[in-house]
Amino acid sequence: MNRLLDDLNRAQRLAVVSPSLALQVLAPPGSGKTKTLTARVSYLIAERGLKPWNIVVCTFTVKAAREMKERIKDLVGDGLEKKLVLGTFHSVARRFLVSYGHLIGIEKNFGIADMSDSRAIITRIIKRQGFSIEPGSAGARISSLKAKSVSAEQYGVTRKAAEQEFSIVYAEYEEALRTSNLLDYDDLLLRCALLLRQHPQCVSNIEAVLIDEFQDTNSVQFELMCLFSQFKKNVTIVGDPDQSIYGWRNAEIKNLERMEKRFPGTDVIHLEENYRSAGAILQSAQQIIEQDESRPTKALKPTFGIGDRPVLRKLPTADAEAKWLVAEIRRTQALSAELLKPNDFAILLRSAAVSRHIESALGNSGIPYRMVGGTKFFDRIEVKMVLDYLRVINQPDHNDALLRIINVPTRGVGDVTVKGLIDEAEKKGSTLWNIVLNIVQGKARSNTKLSTQGLKGLTDFVNLVLTGQKKITGTGDQQASPFELVEYLIKKLDLSKFLQKKYPDDYETRWANIEELKAQTADLTAAMAQGKQFIEEEVLPDIEGLEQRLINANEDALTVFLANIALSSEAQRKQEENPDETQQHVTISTIHAAKGLEWPVVFIPACYEGSIPHSRADDIDEERRLLYVGMTRAQALLYLSCPNKNSQSGETTMSHFLTQRGIEAFFETQGPKLYDDAVVELARTLRRDQPALQQLIKARSTYETPEDSHWPIDGTFPKSENTRWDQGREIESKEGIYANKRRR
Ligand code: ATP
Ligand code: MG
């Protein structure tokens, strides 16, 4: 018990042991909300005797999920932690659907349509119908209707003629998912809610429900939370209204009030101290969030010393900005290669679209990096191609995956033939796979004309898929793992040669992606083999009259593997799963995907009007909160920057969030405050623990900017002869810089 509460402050402990059935922990960034939630889960198991499989936890990041598991393992012993019903809303919903979906007519081996699948289906429908609506906005509208539980039929009957196009797209989209036995992200949540409403006994065992990042739950997720907890009504949520950044995905900040109404007697606990960031970082972040006058005043209270003011820089061009940023990473790294590792750096972007310059600058300098939340690894053409083969092997009804690969590599099945196949499938109300199979096996007459070469190509294709299927349905040692299947495909498709021919210029990169895919498949295969050992009878309630099914237990490895991939963009799986030293990399992430995380050094480039706030955003306050979330990810050093010109729109103006009156006093605008000794010191300390970081920031409280704060953009930096430290001085005495800036 003591161990459990050891490193928590008083308010955090209160929250952990609170006997309240309904509890809200509301607190600013870095105040230990996720840590507290983790401790409460452990406490419920270790002290209150709850069984992990009776606890539902929805976390936003895999990091939080992993920490939670580690702690529980620590406290209550190996194995139990794996039995928590733990994951993102989507993955938890999926688990219920796999186990009990048959009760509402969902076929067991359903696949998941991720964002790009959905987009492809919608685009295809629009093209075929000759409509002029934009696929992206149609997709967003469908999603938002689904979030409000408005079905295609309901929508269709109430619409005027002008809306007809969209309502046809919506209806056909739903139909396409149905025939391919796919659920999209929204469906996972909605169908799970439907299931739990109609068959509440599926959650009769759930004793506690805990939700992280509650400010970003939408109304369906809120509904799910209520449904999970319908028997014991034991709910803990943690969140921060100032960090609500998913309005565009129909998150509803009103859920806090709704919770109080739904769960009378909800207790609220506030946490105050920030354990993440240096004081100067918090002060600058506070300046941003306070520009929203409508929000209640809340101060960020540092537990660290003041540290260095964040750097705010203007650079001539986006290219120069990228070079400057990379030079700064190199400089700090060169000084401290042993101590400050690539993993300690993050570059956070409002939109992944501006990453090009930065990626190429990092690439040129040989700094390893990884993109999160941008073009996903699994969406890269060559990776997606292999995955599409896996999808079709797993689920031949997956029309869209099949369409993408039917003639890749080229096998003489041209566009006209493909169109013929699609028409025929539609006419006969059949799936593409069945049409193709019939043609190859000569079982039914087909109107689709094929050249000899085309027929041979299709036959090869069908054989490849059928052999793959045999491999996964084999028993015992005969059964191929996803990893073995990937190897089989690479060989069968002669992928290396295909990529060499098709992409002579960047073959190496593409092949490296395939290697990476192999490595990831191997990892996942191993993890799944391990996980299976822990699936036991007790995981789900024994419901009378229901066949008792085990979570994942009856699924084959390939289905689980593909579901993991489909859900991974939601959970940023890859980025956090390999913190080990050999996989060191600088993280490039969207700010959205960085929620809940922290890094010693954070860069936020491209801070100009149109980027942040984004030109297409309609909620300025949300854009401001986004910048706030980004800034509060930094522990010790924060750099914001803005190019005078960008490649798309030419001249830029710095984000108005950063040009408010008086704000410059909170930033270092002239040059770097960090010089060599300081960097070494900082790096050394970062490798130790949090208190050491605190010591360091305190020690560095103030030191003067050298006169020559020249900061060239070509990557050469001044030596540090004139670094001076003034230990222990209070912030107010620092030439009055902060003295008159405290507001309210
Ligand atoms: P966010 O709003 O960004 O999600 P959060 O409130 O969830 O932030 P955590 O991520 O839980 O904050 O904690 C931030 C950092 O502070 C973590 O490194 C955590 O380990 C540390 N921390 C939290 N509470 C304490 C404490 N009482 N003592 C020492 N360190 C703490
Ligand atoms: Mg958190």
Side-chain angles (χ1 to χ4, degrees):
M1 171 74 179
N2 282 339
R3 262 171 69 218
L4 215 163
L5 300 174
D6 262 358
D7 52 350
L8 298 177
N9 67 30
R10 192 166 165 276
Q12 291 171 335
R13 282 179 205 189
L14 279 178
V16 170
V17 304
S18 165
S20 305
L21 279 181
L23 179 66
Q24 296 182 341
V25 179
L26 301 180
S31 57
K33 294 183 296 297
T34 304
K35 193 182 168 89
T36 302
L37 194 83
T38 303
R40 186 158 165 92
V41 172
S42 314
Y43 171 81
L44 290 175
I45 295 170
E47 297 297 321
R48 298 266 188 87
L50 265 58
K51 301 286 179 248
W53 52 91
N54 295 338
I55 302 179
V56 171
V57 193
C58 296
T59 59
F60 184 78
T61 61
V62 174
K63 180 165 170 261
R66 193 179 52 221
E67 278 177 15
M68 213 168 269
K69 288 183 180 169
E70 284 299 311
R71 279 204 87 156
I72 294 161
K73 189 158 123 190
D74 244 26
L75 285 161
V76 292
D78 215 356
L80 280 183
E81 80 282 358
K82 298 203 173 72
K83 293 183 182 174
L84 278 170
V85 186
L86 166 71
T88 58
F89 269 102
H90 292 92
S91 64
V92 169
R94 176 182 173 276
R95 284 220 233 165
F96 278 101
L97 289 176
V98 167
S99 304
Y100 300 124
H102 60 287
L103 294 174
I104 54 167
I106 292 178
E107 280 180 51
K108 188 175 146 280
N109 62 342
F110 65 85
I112 297 170
D114 66 16
M115 298 289 191
S116 68
D117 291 329
S118 298
R119 178 74 168 255
I121 297 173
I122 292 171
T123 309
R124 189 162 47 80
I125 297 170
I126 292 176
K127 238 196 219 155
R128 197 187 48 226
Q129 293 281 3
F131 290 164
S132 54
I133 41 182
E134 210 265 310
S137 73
R141 271 176 81 188
I142 290 176
S143 179
S144 121
L145 286 170
K146 285 190 174 190
K148 291 182 202 134
S149 303
V150 180
S151 71
E153 293 87 51
Q154 285 165 334
Y155 187 82
V157 290
T158 60
R159 289 306 125 173
K160 296 191 271 308
E163 291 276 288
Q164 279 303 314
E165 285 197 0
F166 172 75
S167 84
I168 290 170
V169 173
Y170 187 7
E172 290 204 4
Y173 170 73
E174 294 287 89
E175 179 58 23
L177 289 182
R178 210 185 49 74
T179 35
S180 296
N181 192 20
L182 291 173
L183 298 184
D184 67 13
Y185 285 157
D186 299 307
D187 290 334
L188 286 176
L189 303 181
L190 287 167
R191 303 289 173 87
C192 182
L194 181 76
L195 168 74
L196 301 184
R197 258 195 303 273
Q198 294 186 355
H199 301 277
Q201 69 275 33
C202 302
V203 286
S204 58
N205 65 318
I206 301 301
E207 304 228 31
V209 176
L210 299 98
I211 316 278
D212 197 2
E213 305 280 359
F214 183 76
Q215 75 279 355
D216 283 323
T217 48
N218 63 23
S219 58
V220 183
Q221 289 167 336
F222 180 79
E223 198 52 39
L224 274 178
M225 178 188 93
C226 297
L227 286 164
F228 291 148
S229 61
Q230 57 186 304
F231 286 92
K232 295 282 161 43
K233 308 238 181 298
N234 186 346
V235 182
T236 304
I237 66 96
V238 309
D240 175 12
D242 282 344
Q243 294 185 69
S244 149
I245 54 174
Y246 275 93
W248 52 276
R249 266 205 207 158
N250 313 304
E252 294 190 8
I253 193 118
K254 290 194 195 79
N255 282 346
L256 278 170
E257 287 162 27
R258 286 166 77 189
M259 176 172 168
E260 286 177 26
K261 283 205 189 100
R262 236 7 133 83
F263 299 85
T266 297
D267 257 352
V268 184
I269 293 182
H270 295 279
L271 310 177
E272 295 191 330
E273 288 89 2
N274 177 295
Y275 292 93
R276 176 180 292 146
S277 313
I281 291 173
L282 295 179
Q283 287 182 340
S284 66
Q286 180 100 24
Q287 290 303 304
I288 305 298
I289 199 70
E290 279 188 358
Q291 291 164 17
D292 178 357
E293 309 237 327
S294 67
R295 84 182 243 298
T297 317
K298 259 178 294 175
L300 292 165
K301 287 195 193 156
T303 55
F304 288 168
I306 187 71
D308 291 295
R309 280 187 291 174
V311 171
L312 177 59
R313 279 284 284 183
K314 282 202 103 180
L315 283 305
T317 60
D319 198 36
E321 182 186 40
K323 287 193 177 128
W324 162 77
L325 186 157
V326 168
E328 185 57 11
I329 295 179
R330 280 176 64 177
R331 185 177 73 93
T332 45
Q333 274 235 284
L335 290 166
S336 56
E338 294 302 306
L339 304 156
L340 206 55
K341 298 272 163 90
N343 276 359
D344 295 326
F345 296 84
I347 301 163
L348 305 182
L349 308 169
R350 168 63 184 91
S351 112
V354 300
S355 75
R356 193 166 57 84
H357 292 287
I358 292 164
E359 282 198 79
S360 86
L362 282 170
N364 289 338
S365 71
I367 298 175
Y369 69 92
R370 194 162 266 156
M371 277 290 282
V372 183
T375 298
K376 283 180 308 174
F377 175 75
F378 296 117
D379 275 349
R380 307 217 172 128
I381 297 172
E382 58 283 359
V383 174
K384 199 170 169 84
M385 170 183 165
V386 176
L387 291 178
D388 277 336
Y389 273 94
L390 291 178
R391 289 187 183 110
V392 172
I393 288 172
N394 189 45
Q395 206 183 347
D397 301 346
H398 199 317
N399 285 342
D400 285 273
L402 191 137
L403 274 177
R404 286 193 294 259
I405 54 171
I406 195 164
N407 199 32
V408 183
T410 323
R411 42 174 77 92
V413 187
D415 290 350
V416 181
T417 311
V418 172
K419 188 164 179 312
L421 293 172
I422 296 176
D423 287 347
E424 196 172 335
E426 274 174 8
K427 225 181 275 153
K428 294 186 176 157
S430 168
T431 62
L432 274 172
W433 171 252
N434 280 334
I435 300 293
V436 171
L437 198 63
N438 282 338
I439 292 178
V440 168
Q441 298 180 340
K443 281 191 192 145
R445 282 178 57 92
S446 165
N447 298 328
T448 310
K449 295 214 167 47
L450 275 169
S451 62
T452 328
Q453 197 203 355
L455 183 63
K456 181 178 175 305
L458 270 193
T459 311
D460 288 349
F461 175 72
V462 165
N463 286 338
L464 184 136
V465 173
L466 290 177
T467 316
Q469 284 180 339
K470 248 190 229 134
K471 283 179 184 288
I472 47 168
T473 49
T475 46
D477 286 350
Q478 300 294 306
Q479 191 182 34
S481 67
F483 175 70
E484 287 161 331
L485 213 52
V486 168
E487 283 200 311
Y488 159 76
L489 287 171
I490 291 174
K491 199 158 144 238
K492 266 299 205 203
L493 298 169
D494 206 352
L495 201 61
S496 168
K497 208 148 139 218
F498 166 75
L499 292 176
Q500 237 161 16
K501 237 166 101 191
K502 183 139 192 205
Y503 306 104
D505 295 337
D506 57 354
Y507 163 73
E508 313 260 304
T509 324
R510 292 182 190 266
W511 185 250
N513 285 336
I514 295 294
E515 294 282 352
E516 171 73 15
L517 175 69
K518 265 168 71 178
Q520 292 201 27
T521 321
D523 284 357
L524 260 174
T525 304
M528 276 170 1
Q530 215 190 14
K532 264 207 147 100
Q533 294 169 6
F534 293 99
I535 296 164
E536 287 165 21
E537 301 282 316
E538 57 210 346
V539 176
L540 284 185
D542 193 2
I543 299 166
E544 216 181 328
L546 280 184
E547 179 197 353
Q548 185 182 351
R549 302 230 201 160
L550 306 179
I551 293 178
N552 290 350
N554 294 337
E555 292 186 286
D556 62 68
L558 185 59
T559 309
V560 179
F561 174 71
L562 290 170
N564 262 326
I565 289 175
L567 293 171
S568 69
S569 56
E570 293 283 304
Q572 319 143 29
R573 187 183 57 78
K574 188 59 196 170
Q575 171 221 348
E576 297 157 17
E577 257 180 14
N578 281 307
D580 63 279
E581 304 293 298
T582 53
Q583 300 250 357
Q584 284 283 337
H585 59 269
V586 169
T587 298
I588 306 179
S589 169
T590 58
I591 302 178
H592 280 103
K595 197 167 75 151
L597 302 177
E598 59 194 14
W599 290 269
V601 188
V602 169
F603 291 86
I604 307 181
C607 293
Y608 50 84
E609 287 289 307
S611 170
I612 187 158
H614 199 272
S615 47
R616 287 203 306 272
D618 38 40
D619 184 351
I620 288 290
D621 294 334
E622 180 156 313
E623 295 293 300
R624 191 182 297 108
R625 290 194 294 270
L626 202 50
L627 181 58
Y628 177 71
V629 168
M631 291 170 74
T632 52
R633 300 307 96 200
Q635 293 175 295
L637 303 176
L638 171 63
Y639 299 81
L640 307 184
S641 58
C642 165
N644 288 329
K645 279 201 208 87
N646 68 10
S647 36
Q648 297 100 41
S649 57
E651 299 290 312
T652 67
T653 335
M654 189 182 277
S655 167
H656 73 269
F657 301 141
L658 295 167
T659 53
Q660 306 274 323
R661 254 185 66 204
I663 206 169
E664 66 284 356
F666 291 84
F667 291 92
E668 193 61 51
T669 51
Q670 294 306 311
K673 289 273 293 193
L674 273 188
Y675 288 82
D676 306 1
D677 300 347
V679 170
V680 174
E681 183 66 31
L682 168 73
R684 190 172 292 135
T685 316
L686 284 173
R687 295 262 64 85
R688 289 191 242 115
D689 48 3
Q690 291 279 348
L693 179 59
Q694 183 169 356
Q695 280 304 313
L696 174 84
I697 295 177
K698 224 181 238 155
R700 287 174 52 64
S701 269
T702 55
Y703 67 93
E704 284 161 24
T705 316
E707 260 140 53
D708 176 21
S709 50
H710 170 62
W711 199 338
I713 55 172
D714 61 2
T716 54
F717 285 90
K719 281 278 167 214
S720 69
E721 292 98 32
N722 42 7
T723 306
R724 280 225 310 273
W725 296 59
D726 276 341
Q727 302 216 350
R729 265 206 279 158
E730 287 305 311
I731 47 165
E732 276 79 10
S733 64
K734 191 182 175 187
E735 293 138 339
I737 281 177
Y738 298 102
N740 53 1
K741 291 296 165 205
R742 310 211 80 145
R743 293 175 36 188
R744 291 177 220 191

